[in-house]
Amino acid sequence: MNNKTTQYYVGNDFIDKRIDLFLKSKMNLNSRSYIKKLINLGCIFLNQKKLASASKKVKEGDIIIITEQLTQKNKIIPEKIDLDIVYEDNDLIVVNKPAGMVVHPGAGNKNGTLVNGLMFKFGNKLSNLGGSERPGIIHRLDKDTSGLIVIAKNNFSHNFLSEQFSKHTIIRKYLAFIWGVIRPLNGNISTLISRDKFNRQTMSVSSSKGKHAVTNYKTLKVFQNKDIPKISLIEFKLETGRTHQIRVHMKYKQTNIIGDKVYGKKRLKFKKINNILEKKIQELKGQMLHAGTLGFAHPKNNKIMKFIIEPPKKFKNLLNFLEKNSN
C-alpha cells in the first residue's frame, strides 16, 4: 500500500496549543474531524511515538509525522456506467442516483455501484476520507431510493461538506407515496433510532437508546376513490440523516412507504382495489421514495447551492394515475 507522508515542525508560534488545532491550521481544514480520524487509525506520530489524543499540547521543536493512505485496501473495479451528473466542478459532483443502484461496494454488492461508475469516470480524482471502498462518498441513499447525492473530489471538500451534515445545515427534501394518512397532516417526528433488537439488518424507534432523528413532513395531497384506498403524497425534510430514517419513522406512525417490503407488509390485502393500481404496486421494486432536493454551501466560496430533480418515471406514472382516478 502506498502512503503519503507529511512532516511538520512546531515553531514558537504554537507553543502549548492543542495538536489538533496546530494540524488544522497547517492542513488547511475546516474542522478537526479528519485529524481525529487519522489519530484513531494510528496515522499521526509525535516525536516518533504514535499520537493517542487530539488534546495533546505541542511545544517548540516537536516533530509531527502524518501518514495518509493513498491506495485502496480492496481495489474497486472501475465500470463504465452511465451516470446522470447534474453538476460538476473542481471540488464536487452532484449525481442523480437511480433507484436500484447501491451507492458503494459492500457485502454482496461488489459491482454495479455508484462508486464503480465514479471510479471509471474520475479515477483517483476523488476524496479518500471515506475509506478504501467509499472514495468521494459523504452520505448515502438506500439502494431503492432515487435522487440527489453529492460526491467530494478532494479531502478539503469532503471535510467541509461532512461538517454541514454533522451540523444539520444540509437541505434535504424527499417525496414519497405512503399508505393512508398521517395525523396530523403536517408535523414533526422526533425519536431515537437504533438497530432493531430482533433483526440487526433493520432499524427501529427506541425509547431509551440510539441516535436522535428528526423528520419534518408535509402532506401534499391525499388520494382516494371507491376502488382506490387512501394514499398520501408526502414531502419530507430531514434535520438528521439516520439509516433508513424516513422509512423507520413511517413505520413508527403506523404506515409505510408504498413498495417498502422491509418496513411494511410484504403482502397487502384490500377489500376493493383498482386492478390497474394493484398491478402497478405489485410490479414495484423497492419503496417509492425520491430525494428530490439537495442544498449546501460550496466548499470554496461558501455560496449556497440548491439542486432539484424530478422523480423517476415509475413515480410520475403512479402520480398521474392517482390524479386521474381519485377524488
Side-chain angles (χ1 to χ4, degrees):
M1 180 178 289
N2 296 325
N3 297 308
K4 174 187 174 184
T5 300
T6 309
Q7 180 172 302
Y8 297 101
Y9 176 83
V10 180
N12 59 13
D13 53 337
F14 273 93
I15 295 174
D16 289 332
K17 298 290 185 182
R18 286 171 56 115
I19 194 168
D20 55 353
L21 290 173
F22 170 80
L23 291 174
K24 177 176 178 286
S25 173
K26 296 296 182 182
M27 298 172 73
N28 195 26
L29 298 173
N30 281 310
S31 77
R32 290 168 281 175
S33 58
Y34 180 49
I35 297 166
K36 184 177 179 181
K37 182 174 182 178
L38 290 176
I39 293 172
N40 292 337
L41 290 172
C43 298
I44 301 181
F45 295 82
L46 175 62
N47 301 325
Q48 299 185 339
K49 292 183 179 180
K50 192 175 290 185
L51 183 65
S53 173
S55 63
K56 177 76 174 177
K57 300 289 181 66
V58 296
K59 60 182 184 293
E60 187 176 3
D62 281 346
I63 296 175
I64 302 165
I65 295 176
I66 300 178
T67 303
E68 298 175 85
Q69 296 176 355
L70 293 183
T71 58
Q72 297 154 346
K73 204 173 187 178
N74 300 311
K75 189 174 180 181
I76 296 171
I77 301 172
E79 294 181 62
K80 189 175 182 179
I81 299 172
D82 288 332
L83 301 177
D84 184 3
I85 296 176
V86 177
Y87 176 84
E88 179 189 354
D89 62 24
N90 292 330
D91 300 289
L92 56 89
I93 311 151
V94 177
V95 178
N96 179 26
K97 185 191 82 69
M101 176 183 278
V102 175
V103 170
H104 59 76
N109 293 294
K110 293 295 182 184
N111 306 104
T113 73
L114 176 61
V115 163
N116 292 109
L118 289 169
M119 288 298 292
F120 181 88
K121 188 170 179 63
F122 299 101
N124 62 357
K125 296 178 181 178
L126 298 168
S127 72
N128 60 14
L129 296 192
S132 62
E133 294 188 338
R134 303 181 186 183
I137 300 302
I138 304 164
H139 65 122
R140 293 176 292 175
L141 294 176
D142 294 342
K143 176 182 177 181
D144 292 316
T145 298
S146 60
L148 297 169
I149 183 168
V150 61
I151 309 297
K153 279 189 172 182
N154 52 64
N155 288 354
F156 177 85
S157 297
H158 191 127
N159 182 68
F160 188 93
L161 292 164
S162 293
E163 192 74 6
Q164 293 179 65
F165 277 96
S166 297
K167 292 179 178 178
H168 312 310
T169 58
I170 295 285
I171 301 168
R172 282 174 293 174
K173 292 183 181 180
Y174 293 69
L175 285 176
F177 286 108
I178 68 161
W179 292 112
V181 179
I182 312 179
R183 301 294 182 187
L185 293 176
N186 307 315
N188 169 286
I189 307 168
S190 179
T191 71
L192 297 175
I193 288 180
S194 62
R195 288 281 169 191
D196 189 277
K197 59 183 179 181
F198 300 109
N199 183 353
R200 302 300 293 175
Q201 292 183 326
T202 63
M203 312 298 288
S204 63
V205 167
S206 171
S207 59
S208 59
K209 62 180 181 178
K211 294 182 179 180
H212 187 222
V214 181
T215 304
N216 298 292
Y217 68 91
K218 178 168 65 175
T219 301
L220 301 180
K221 191 163 184 178
V222 177
F223 303 94
Q224 187 180 25
N225 210 336
K226 58 182 180 180
D227 59 352
I228 293 178
K230 278 186 182 179
I231 293 173
S232 297
L233 176 62
I234 308 291
E235 179 187 83
F236 297 98
K237 185 177 181 181
L238 295 186
E239 289 187 26
T240 57
R242 309 307 179 197
T243 302
H244 302 169
Q245 179 174 316
I246 294 173
R247 299 163 67 189
V248 172
H249 273 167
M250 287 302 93
K251 184 176 181 180
Y252 173 70
K253 295 291 281 187
Q254 299 183 331
T255 182
N256 65 274
I257 297 170
I258 291 178
D260 190 345
K261 294 180 174 61
V262 175
Y263 292 97
K265 295 179 181 178
K266 292 184 179 180
R267 291 185 179 180
L268 294 167
K269 294 181 180 180
F270 301 98
K271 291 181 179 179
K272 193 173 184 181
I273 185 172
N274 181 285
N275 292 333
I276 298 174
L277 176 60
E278 186 174 31
K279 185 179 179 182
K280 284 181 179 290
I281 291 167
Q282 288 175 345
E283 291 174 348
L284 288 177
K285 295 179 180 179
Q287 64 276 358
M288 296 290 279
L289 181 62
H290 175 67
T293 301
L294 180 65
F296 49 82
H298 193 278
K300 283 293 174 68
N301 55 26
N302 213 33
K303 180 182 176 181
I304 299 298
M305 307 186 76
K306 189 175 181 181
F307 301 91
I308 299 173
I309 199 77
E310 289 189 352
K313 186 177 179 180
K314 68 174 184 178
F315 201 102
K316 290 181 180 177
N317 286 344
L318 180 56
L319 178 60
N320 291 336
F321 177 84
L322 292 171
E323 290 276 10
K324 291 177 182 178
N325 295 278
S326 63
N327 295 330

